[in-house]
Amino acid sequence: MNKPSTYIPKGIYPFKTKMIMTVALIVVVGFYLVSSIKTESFIIDIFVKIPNVFGLISDFFPPDWGYVTQIWPKLFETIHMAIIASTVAVIVSIPFSLLTANNVTTNNVLYQVMRLILNFIRTIPDIILAVVFVGLFGIGAFSGIMALIIFSIGILVKLMSEVIEAIDMNPSEAIRASGGNSLQTISFAIVPQVLPQFISFSLYVFELNIRASLVLGYVGAGGIGQLLNKEMNFLNYPAVSSIIIIVFAVVVIIDMISAKLREGLV
């Protein structure tokens, strides 16, 4: 007759793993508590402030639909800003993308310098760029366009350089072996492989620029953000509600069109 087994498993994970997880949890909770005390910000504040949130939301309704006629001019200005900025950024980012791809730029010094410039561009937030250009060129759409161009170049070059680094290099080597120059290599070996992704990323950046224009307007960089900022300062919440709803609808429509175009390209 077999004796019943007396072995009792202590758990799925070994003791060492449990200790590491426990220490990690204690460290995370400790960092959270220290950070909350130092910043005087606690998660419980969300629940304490909920009545204020509902009170503010009720001020936004009903939207002031009579205000719509004042929204269209600024909304079209925002779209025009995004179109100009995206177009310029796409053109400028083409050579930058090639120079920041290590399989195209064989000069290591040039490659590192270009990567450093790209990292610097991406480090600066778009709203800081807008503040700088408003200081340089004054309040208006031009400052916003300049900020969007720099912002878009940082994103496009980063995405495209990674795509270029992942392409098949056999066609490039075949063209070089047959006597082709750098321009022919780029035109016939690299561009056909990355063109669909490049167009897709360009549409994505255009969407981002529409959304970014709303924020840039807060610092005087043109677009519908300026209108939003003015009505917020006047506490005209029904007009703000109308602006938000219309912008949301426009962004959704642009997003749907861009998604369909990207599906056809990639």
Side-chain angles (χ1 to χ4, degrees), residues 143-165:
S143 301
I145 290 171
M146 292 299 298
L148 290 176
I149 288 173
I150 304 297
F151 170 70
S152 304
I153 289 173
I155 296 174
L156 269 175
V157 174
K158 170 67 176 175
L159 295 174
M160 280 310 302
S161 61
E162 291 180 353
V163 170
I164 293 173
E165 288 175 351

Side-chain angles (χ1 to χ4, degrees), residues 10-260:
K10 295 181 180 178
I12 299 174
Y13 300 105
F15 177 75
K16 185 178 178 180
T17 303
K18 289 180 179 179
M19 281 296 297
I20 293 173
M21 293 174 66
T22 304
V23 171
L25 180 63
I26 292 172
V27 170
V28 170
V29 173
F31 275 126
Y32 165 75
L33 291 176
V34 171
S35 302
S36 297
I37 293 170
K38 289 292 183 183
T39 59
E40 298 181 355
S41 303
F42 298 90
I43 291 296
I44 195 171
D45 290 344
I46 296 175
F47 303 101
V48 174
K49 302 293 184 184
I50 279 181
N52 296 343
V53 173
F54 284 120
L56 180 63
I57 291 175
S58 64
D59 291 338
F60 283 84
F61 292 95
D64 181 7
W65 296 115
Y67 189 76
V68 171
T69 54
Q70 301 182 48
I71 298 174
W72 295 124
K74 282 293 183 184
L75 182 62
F76 287 132
E77 183 182 82
T78 298
I79 295 173
H80 293 159
M81 288 169 60
I83 290 173
I84 295 171
S86 303
T87 305
V88 175
V90 166
I91 295 171
V92 174
S93 64
I94 292 172
F96 273 84
S97 301
L98 294 169
L99 291 171
T100 50
N102 58 8
N103 55 345
V104 176
T105 304
T106 53
N107 186 321
N108 190 51
V109 175
L110 178 60
Y111 169 74
Q112 294 298 339
V113 169
M114 294 305 300
R115 298 289 293 190
L116 186 65
I117 294 172
L118 176 63
N119 290 334
F120 177 73
I121 291 174
R122 288 208 320 276
T123 303
I124 306 173
D126 53 350
I127 194 164
I128 300 299
L129 289 169
V131 170
V132 171
F133 285 115
V134 166
L136 289 173
F137 303 112
I139 294 174
F142 183 74
S143 301
I145 290 171
M146 292 299 298
L148 290 176
I149 288 173
I150 304 297
F151 170 70
S152 304
I153 289 173
I155 296 174
L156 269 175
V157 174
K158 170 67 176 175
L159 295 174
M160 280 310 302
S161 61
E162 291 180 353
V163 170
I164 293 173
E165 288 175 351
I167 63 172
D168 180 8
M169 292 303 291
N170 289 329
S172 302
E173 293 170 0
I175 292 175
R176 288 198 186 97
S178 60
N181 56 32
S182 298
L183 186 59
Q184 291 171 324
T185 304
I186 292 170
S187 301
F188 299 110
I190 297 177
V191 171
Q193 294 188 64
V194 301
L195 186 59
Q197 289 88 349
F198 186 67
I199 296 174
S200 174
F201 291 148
S202 301
L203 292 170
Y204 173 65
V205 166
F206 174 67
E207 295 172 34
L208 287 181
N209 284 339
I210 293 285
R211 298 184 180 100
S213 301
L214 296 175
V215 180
L216 301 188
Y218 265 80
V219 293
I224 201 168
Q226 277 185 302
L227 198 62
L228 193 63
N229 186 31
K230 186 188 77 175
E231 300 304 334
M232 285 293 289
N233 290 334
F234 290 157
L235 304 181
N236 188 2
Y237 295 126
V240 172
S241 179
S242 302
I243 295 171
I244 293 172
I245 291 171
I246 289 178
V247 170
F248 173 74
V250 170
V251 168
V252 168
I253 291 170
I254 292 174
D255 181 65
M256 291 172 63
I257 295 172
S258 299
K260 289 295 180 184

